[in-house]
Amino acid sequence: MNILIMGPAGSGKGTMSERILEHFQIPHISTGDMFRENIKNQTELGLTAQKYINEGKLVPDSLTVAMVKDRINKDDCSAGYLLDGFPRSLPQAEALEEIAVNGKEVQIVLNLTVPFDKLVVRITGRRLCKQCGSIYHTLSHPSKVNGICDECGGELYQRPDDTVERLRVRMKEYEFTTKPVLDYYLKKGLVVDIDASLPVEEVWQQVKEALGK
Ligand code: AMP
């Protein structure tokens, strides 16, 4: 199945993506990850993309669309794909319509929603290990010793953008950019809203149900 997943930071998109990949055995196509991989390998695409990413800008559509087109036509996408981080604008959604043909069309859009006050709790309580990257939460998944990683003993820290103020800005940006994309797929009748404020297992049940249809 060809799936598009959408949701703001803190909606649990990463967790649901992992489960979908495992359950349906399809590749994860994250444009952000692909750019990071290209930057790491210093490819021509990576060098160009880096300039935009460093300035906090979107990579031009011509490059992004070509990269996605190439990726969804690879053999491992024959049973479907999970698209993440693309399309991020209406022109990208329209471009996807043109390149995703012959069985590559998006079939369902999972829209993970979480009320703002719940996102605040999730995001501001998040702590990461400086050494191994393990993720904790002060309320729902605290480390055994305050400020210290259970896995490696490293120091835990809070990401500087995991604050209410930054979250408010990120949410506004997210809504501003994704609304036209959501509306586009709503008109096509492809959007399934997932209440991602519930515990993980309940969210997963909703996702499985949506994909089972
Ligand atoms: P992400 O990890 O999805 O936040 O992506 C990291 C960066 O990659 C973004 O800030 C953009 O600069 C770039 N990027 C990722 N996806 C896209 C896209 N669909 N269109 C343009 N730029 C993108």
Side-chain angles (χ1 to χ4, degrees), residues 13 30-36 39 49-50 52-61 64-65 67-68 84-89 92:
K13 192 163 60 115
S30 152
T31 44
D33 285 352
M34 288 173 82
F35 284 132
R36 279 185 284 276
I39 291 169
Q50 191 165 28
Y52 295 93
I53 294 175
N54 285 352
E55 289 176 19
K57 291 184 186 155
L58 288 181
V59 178
D61 285 355
T64 311
V65 171
M67 178 177 81
V68 172
D84 182 354
F86 179 94
R88 256 178 158 91
S89 64
Q92 287 190 356

Side-chain angles (χ1 to χ4, degrees), residues 169-186:
V169 174
R170 272 148 74 191
M171 272 307 282
K172 277 222 174 89
E173 269 170 17
Y174 176 77
E175 276 164 16
F176 181 75
T177 50
T178 51
K179 193 166 182 311
V181 177
L182 259 184
D183 287 347
Y184 179 84
Y185 289 111
L186 271 171

